[in-house]
Amino acid sequence: MDQLLIHGGRPLSGTVTISGAKNAALPEMCAALLTSEPVQLTNVPRLHDVRTMRRLLEHMGVLVETHGERGGMGFAAPDTLEPEAPYELVKTMRASVLVLGPLLARFGRARVSLPGGCAIGSRPVDQHIKGLQAMGAEITVEHGYMEARLPAGRTRLTGARITTDMVTVTGTENLLMAACLAEGETVLENAAQEPEVSDLAELLIKMGARIEGQGSSHIRVQGVDRLHGCTHRVVADRIEAGTFLCAVAACGGQALLRHARADHLEAVIDKLRDAGVQVTAEADGLRVASGGGARLKAQGFRTMEYPGFPTDMQAQFMTLNLVAQGTVSVTETIFENRFMHVNELMRLGAEIMVDGRVATVAGGARLSGARVMATDLRASASLVIAGLVAEGETVVDRIYHLDRGYDQMEEKLRGLGADIERVAA
């Protein structure tokens, strides 16, 4: 099992290219199930989760090809595909549930394993089931599997007005894909507004779907008889971009983040600017400049659904607050167990007190290197940033979490001047 070995104290400067978004690529890979014609994706990130989704699609009979060195992947889902997603593959990645809507919409049936638990908190799929049932699907949950099919005599799902009980990104994506082939109009109320949802909608529109309102909480879909193939570039990963913004802010220096989009990171950028970080939108991305944590002012924040402050940036910004000046509160409203990085940060010298969903962070910490353990994807990134500013050597264990969502993070950081390397444990 690999580790990251970090010697902190270096400023970060240079140019880094932000990869395609994992949370856009995974549903877009599933969208290829909606047609038998080839779907070509470019800018697909090289991640463990992408490889897992590929294995799942290939298990069902999808033909998958990799094109070139720039994240090109092609998908062809034949009519003979077997619409079943087994536990052995689904258990390792919750996004696997995104095959449910497309399979049911195109093949009229699907057997998909329940995804199981998640370290950062509960992420139930009941909203997916509720929405598909509103579109006419018959769904039972037995022996750990969701068994879905169309009623006897029906060949297509039926459009419906669906209001989810909570904002759910994967729920919105599943229902959006299913609605594209449903008969009539589907309206999704309380829909997720994340850029990754909008990017999925843009792909579906290129495939022939009729969608309006993506990027808002009210999405309207007119079902069509069939979809066709297309080529689509995966949108840049806003969370990877936000992570590098925090890293440069904490370490000091200046960098250009190619392909990063300011309009996808407004809440994070506002907090960074309030802290004293310079963030400027340029034609090719975002430029960030910082004098380092000691010259910054810590910022309290509360995580919220998009366009609010993203829960996926909470851990990274908490690390920045540790080295900035002042004591602030961080409130996590999305997941009930997303402070697992706190104990590991305290091993490096952080002063943090947690009371339920609120963490009080004392800034001005003088972090010192130690051996720490990653507990989830974004926690991993926070520990890497902490290691970059800590005195001495930091070893980050269990970085397979990091590999689920960051494309060659240590190589990109080395390109900015960091002393970081991947070593075998």
Side-chain angles (χ1 to χ4, degrees):
M1 191 177 298
D2 289 349
Q3 304 169 321
L4 286 181
L5 182 63
I6 307 169
H7 291 92
R10 294 190 178 189
L12 302 180
S13 296
T15 299
V16 61
T17 298
I18 301 302
S19 300
K22 172 183 80 103
N23 290 338
L26 296 178
E28 288 165 5
M29 293 170 71
C30 295
L33 294 167
L34 290 165
T35 178
S36 61
E37 296 183 16
V39 173
Q40 306 289 335
L41 297 178
T42 62
N43 201 36
V44 180
R46 293 162 290 184
L47 302 172
H48 179 76
D49 279 7
V50 169
R51 293 191 292 271
T52 299
M53 184 64 78
R54 175 176 182 164
R55 288 198 300 272
L56 174 59
L57 295 175
E58 288 177 331
H59 173 84
M60 292 188 290
V62 178
L63 303 176
V64 184
E65 296 181 346
T66 302
H67 304 296
E69 297 295 324
R70 297 188 178 182
M73 296 185 75
F75 306 86
D79 294 331
T80 55
L81 181 148
E82 180 59 37
E84 178 173 340
Y87 173 72
E88 289 72 22
L89 290 170
V90 173
K91 69 179 180 179
T92 63
M93 184 180 64
R94 293 190 59 85
S96 303
V97 74
L98 287 165
V99 302
L100 178 62
L103 290 176
L104 183 59
R106 180 175 165 206
F107 297 95
R109 63 188 179 92
R111 185 172 189 264
V112 179
S113 171
L114 290 169
C118 179
I120 61 175
S122 175
R123 296 202 247 183
V125 297
D126 59 316
Q127 300 303 302
H128 305 235
I129 295 173
K130 172 187 171 182
L132 292 170
Q133 287 174 330
M135 299 170 71
E138 296 177 346
I139 303 178
T140 58
V141 179
E142 295 179 340
H143 309 295
Y145 278 81
M146 293 176 285
E147 304 271 1
R149 63 179 59 253
L150 296 179
R154 297 289 303 178
T155 59
R156 295 171 66 184
L157 292 168
T158 304
R161 180 176 291 272
I162 303 168
T163 303
T164 54
D165 297 335
M166 64 186 73
V167 177
T168 162
V169 175
T170 54
T172 299
E173 291 166 340
N174 235 338
L175 299 175
L176 177 62
M177 289 187 281
C180 291
L181 292 179
E183 185 175 0
E185 180 180 86
T186 299
V187 178
L188 303 180
E189 301 281 10
N190 202 27
Q193 302 176 52
E194 274 75 358
E196 296 80 17
V197 176
S198 297
D199 199 56
L200 171 62
E202 294 302 322
L203 165 65
L204 294 169
I205 290 170
K206 291 178 183 177
M207 295 171 66
R210 298 170 62 192
I211 303 171
E212 297 177 349
Q214 62 272 25
S216 76
S217 61
H218 180 94
I219 302 177
R220 190 178 298 271
V221 184
Q222 302 290 339
V224 298
D225 292 335
R226 62 183 297 274
L227 296 176
H228 53 73
C230 73
T231 298
H232 179 76
R233 179 180 173 85
V234 178
V235 70
D237 192 327
R238 63 192 171 97
I239 304 302
E240 182 186 24
T243 299
F244 276 92
L245 287 175
C246 286
V248 175
C251 294
Q254 60 175 318
L256 174 65
L257 312 185
R258 295 185 64 242
H259 305 317
R261 291 179 52 169
D263 59 331
H264 291 174
L265 280 166
E266 289 181 351
V268 174
I269 290 173
D270 285 347
K271 287 294 180 183
L272 287 168
R273 287 172 174 164
D274 289 345
V277 181
Q278 297 178 34
V279 183
T280 308
E282 299 191 358
D284 195 28
L286 289 173
R287 185 171 297 278
V288 54
S290 171
R295 300 185 182 183
L296 303 179
K297 181 180 178 181
Q299 299 295 309
F301 61 89
R302 181 184 187 91
T303 63
M304 299 176 65
E305 290 89 359
Y306 189 87
F309 195 98
T311 180
D312 280 351
M313 283 300 305
Q314 177 253 108
Q316 302 92 304
F317 210 102
M318 182 183 288
T319 298
L320 174 59
N321 277 336
L322 285 173
V323 296
Q325 302 302 306
T327 298
V328 294
S329 294
V330 172
T331 304
E332 173 60 54
T333 71
I334 307 299
F335 293 116
E336 67 270 21
N337 195 27
R338 207 162 200 182
F339 285 144
M340 291 189 294
H341 50 283
V342 167
N343 286 337
E344 299 303 305
L345 289 172
M346 291 174 69
R347 286 180 50 77
L348 299 172
E351 292 186 22
I352 307 171
M353 293 189 63
V354 175
D355 183 6
R357 289 178 177 257
V358 179
T360 302
V361 183
R366 185 173 181 177
L367 302 181
S368 58
R371 187 165 184 164
V372 291
M373 180 179 68
T375 53
D376 63 69
L377 171 55
R378 306 308 172 185
S380 307
S382 74
L383 296 177
V384 170
I385 296 173
L388 292 172
V389 297
E391 296 179 358
E393 179 180 279
T394 298
V395 178
V396 184
D397 285 320
R398 294 175 63 179
I399 60 170
Y400 58 83
H401 289 293
L402 196 75
D403 294 336
R404 289 186 50 238
Y406 290 94
D407 185 348
Q408 299 178 307
M409 187 181 199
E410 72 276 10
E411 293 186 17
K412 293 181 179 181
L413 286 169
R414 273 202 304 274
L416 295 177
D419 186 345
I420 181 173
E421 62 177 326
R422 181 182 293 254
V423 297

